[in-house]
Amino acid sequence: MSCTYHQQTITEDGQLLLKKAKTDQIETVWDRHQAQLPQCGYCELGLSCRNCVMGPCRVDPFGEGPQQGVCGADADIIVARNLCRMIAAGAASHSDHGRDLVEVLANVAKGQAPGYAIRDLEKLKSVAAEYGVETQGKDMLVIAGELAYAMQEDYGTRITELALLKRAPAKRREIWKKVGITPRGIDRETSETMHRTHMGVDNGWQSLLLQGLRNALSDGWGGSLIASEVSDILFGTPSPKPTSVNAGVLKKNQVNIVVHGHNPVVSEMILTASQSADLIQLAQSKGATGINLAGVCCTGNELLMRHGIPMAGNHLMTELILSTGAVDMMLVDYQCIMPSLGKTASCYHTRMISTSDKARFPGMDHREFHPENAEELAKTLVREAIENFDKRGKVYLPVEPVKAIGGFSIESIVGALGGSVAPLLDAIKAGKIRGAAGIVGCNNPKILHDYGHVTLARRLIENDILVVDTGCAAIATAKAGFKMPDAIQFAGPGLKEVCGSLSIPPVLHLGSCVDNVRILMLAGALANALNADISDLPIAGAAPEWYSEKAVSIGAYFVASGVYTVLGPMPPIAGSLNVVKLLTEGLRDVVGAVFAVEPDPEKSAILIRRHIEGRRKALGLGFHTL
Ligand code: SF4
Ligand code: MSK
C-alpha cells in the first residue's frame, strides 16, 4: 500500500498498530479498500440497479449510453429506490435490535430470563404510562409484560401511529401529518419501502423519498427509541462516569475480553460474569491479576455509558485491536462486525465468539445467547477466556489510555441543569452557547480515520457550540481528549464558562448508534420549552465519516425531524440531480430541514455555524454574520 500510516489515521495507537499489523502481515480494512480501487462509478452515483433479473442495469451518467433500465426505470427512479433500500436496511437493523430487547423484557416479566432484571423502575413506569399501560398498584413484572406487549404492537400494523411520537413537538407532528409521513408500524414502514422499491410499484422519485423519510422516522421515533428506552429499563439509565479509551485500555497482566457489536443483552451478561469473585480467582490462579473487560463500537458504548467500561477503539480499530496480541477473547453480537475478524484473530491466540442467532462469521465459534441461557453461557465463556490467557504470544500495547467521562443521558443532563432544560435555553438565548450539534456515525476508510470527527468537534466547541456525540464519533473525540472537563480549554469563552460551572466536558457522550434518539429527545425538549419546532432551533447534525446503512436512516430521521444534517461521504445519489436537489434544497419547504454534503470538516464546521447563526437570527437572538 502506498500511503503511510498518518495518511490512514490521526490516532497514535492506530498508526503504531498499523505498523505492527504490517509486520505481522495482517490485512486491514485499508488494504482491502485499496484493492477495490477504482470502485464502480455507476454504483457510487447510485445509477446501477439489480432489483430484478431482467437486469442488472445501469444508466450512463454522460448521456451517451442507456438512460433507462430494462424495465424503463430512469436515473431518478433508480437512485431514489436505491437510497430508500438503504434506509430500509438501516431502520430494520436498529428496529430489530430494539425488538430483541423487548423480547428480553417480555422474558424478564415471565421470570424466564435469569440474571436480567428491571434496573430502572421509574423509567419502566413512565414509558409504560406513555404506552397507556396502567401502572398504579401493579407489580413491576406485570407492568414489564404489558409494556413489552404494547411495544410489540408498535412493530405491527394494527395502529395508526407509533406510541412515542407523542414526544415530538406538536408543530413537528403537524408537519408529518400534512406531508403524510407519520410513521405507522415500525415493521410496516420497512416492509412498505421494500414493496414500493420492487420493480413496477412506486415510480415517483418524490413519493419514494417521502416513504424513505417515513421509514426513517419509524426508526428514530420507533425502533431505536424503543431500543434505547428498554436498554435503560433493563440495564439502568446512564449517568456520568469516568472511563478511558484507546488500545491502551487493554492490560498486559489481565485476561482481556473485548465485546463488539451493538446489543447490550450479551455484553451486560459478560460484564456480570467478569466481575464474579470465583472467575476473578480463577484468573488469578492462571497468573493474571484480574479480568479486564473492554469494548469496541457500540456494544462497548452501551457498557461505557452505564458502567464506565473502557473502550479499546472504534470501527476501523477493530482489526488493529486484535493485532495487539493481548485479546484473549472477543465476543460479537451484530452490526459493524467485519467478516474479516476471524481471519485476523487466527494469526494470534484470540478466541472469537459469535453470539446472535442472526449473525454468523467465518472463523468464529458460534455460541448462541438467549434470555434463558445468557447468565450461564456468559460464565462459561469468561472461563474459557481465562483458560486462553496463558496461550498468549508477545503482546504489543504501545500507548497509555486517555481519560474520558461518558454517560450523559437526557435525564442526567437535565439533572445537572437542576431539573429542566431552562438553564441550557437561557445560555443559548444569552449567546454563551450559540447552539448545539450532534456528531454521529462511523469511520470509513475513504476518510482519514477520526480526522472528520475530531476536527469538526474542535471547530464547533471553539465557536461556543455544544457538541453531543454518539457511536464511533464519540470514541474519536474521547481519544482526542475532548471528553474531560478540562477540555473546556479548547472551547470558546461562553461554552467554557457554562461547562466549567457545571464541571462537564464541552463534548458530551450520549451513547451508541440507537442512542441518537437521545439527541432527538433533547432537541424535542428544547423545542417544547420554546413552544417552537425542532427546525426552529439553532442546532445541527453531522456524520463526518459515516459508512453504514444505519447512518443513512439516522441522517434521514434527523432531517425529517427538522435537523439540518451535514454528511461527510457523499451518499450514492449524485446520479440524479432531481434527488440531490430535493434532499439538499427542496426538503426545506417540506420538513423544514435539508441535507448538506461536505467531506472537509473545516468547511462543514462553517456550514453548521452559518446554519446556527441563521436560526438564531430567525429566533430574534443575538447572531454573528459569517
Ligand atoms: Fe433493471 Fe428495472 Fe430490473 Fe432494476 S428493476 S434491474 S432497472 S429491469
Ligand atoms: S458502531 S454504525 S460504525 S457508529 Fe454503532 Fe460505529 Fe457506525 Fe457501526
Side-chain angles (χ1 to χ4, degrees), residues 391-546:
K391 298 193 181 67
R392 273 189 199 173
K394 226 171 155 198
V395 164
Y396 180 63
L397 293 170
V399 293
E400 288 299 315
V402 174
K403 286 185 184 162
I405 308 275
F408 288 92
S409 57
I410 302 310
E411 291 82 348
S412 65
I413 292 173
V414 169
L417 292 169
S420 87
V421 291
L424 179 57
L425 269 182
D426 290 343
I428 292 173
K429 285 180 188 164
K432 288 182 182 170
I433 298 180
R434 313 292 309 164
I439 304 183
V440 311
C442 328
N443 304 129
N444 185 327
K446 295 177 176 178
I447 305 259
L448 176 60
H449 172 234
D450 283 0
Y451 173 73
H453 300 309
V454 171
T455 309
L456 181 58
R458 184 188 299 276
R459 293 294 172 247
L460 294 179
I461 62 173
E462 70 190 19
N463 283 287
D464 288 325
I465 294 169
L466 176 71
V467 170
V468 291
D469 58 11
T470 60
C472 291
I475 306 312
T477 59
K479 282 184 281 182
F482 293 169
K483 287 205 163 72
M484 286 299 284
D486 65 3
I488 55 172
Q489 63 182 298
F490 304 116
L495 185 61
K496 188 176 190 171
E497 183 191 322
V498 175
C499 293
S501 69
L502 295 168
S503 300
I504 58 170
V507 179
L508 303 179
H509 192 332
L510 259 65
S512 64
C513 302
V514 292
D515 290 332
N516 282 313
V517 299
R518 297 191 202 271
I519 300 177
L520 274 191
M521 296 307 113
L522 184 58
L526 289 172
N528 281 333
L530 271 177
N531 195 23
D533 177 41
I534 293 174
S535 65
D536 299 325
L537 300 173
I539 62 170
E545 303 180 35
W546 73 276

Side-chain angles (χ1 to χ4, degrees), residues 49-52 54-57 69-71 73 78 81 199:
C49 180
R50 50 178 177 77
N51 286 11
C52 84
M54 291 193 288
C57 305
V70 176
C71 66
I78 290 176
R81 278 197 313 217
M199 202 296 275

Side-chain angles (χ1 to χ4, degrees), residues 25-36:
Q25 298 186 316
I26 301 297
E27 180 189 84
T28 67
V29 60
W30 284 277
D31 300 319
R32 293 188 298 274
H33 175 248
Q34 187 74 21
Q36 286 289 335

Side-chain angles (χ1 to χ4, degrees), residues 14 25 53 58 90 103 194 213 264 332 442 468 477 485 500 507 512 564:
Q25 298 186 316
V53 290
R58 61 199 188 282
E103 281 176 4
M194 295 308 286
L213 294 186
V332 307
C442 328
V468 291
T477 59
V507 179
S512 64
Y564 171 69

Side-chain angles (χ1 to χ4, degrees), residues 233-248:
I233 290 169
L234 289 172
F235 307 119
T237 299
S239 57
K241 283 182 187 58
T243 185
S244 52
V245 290
N246 82 20

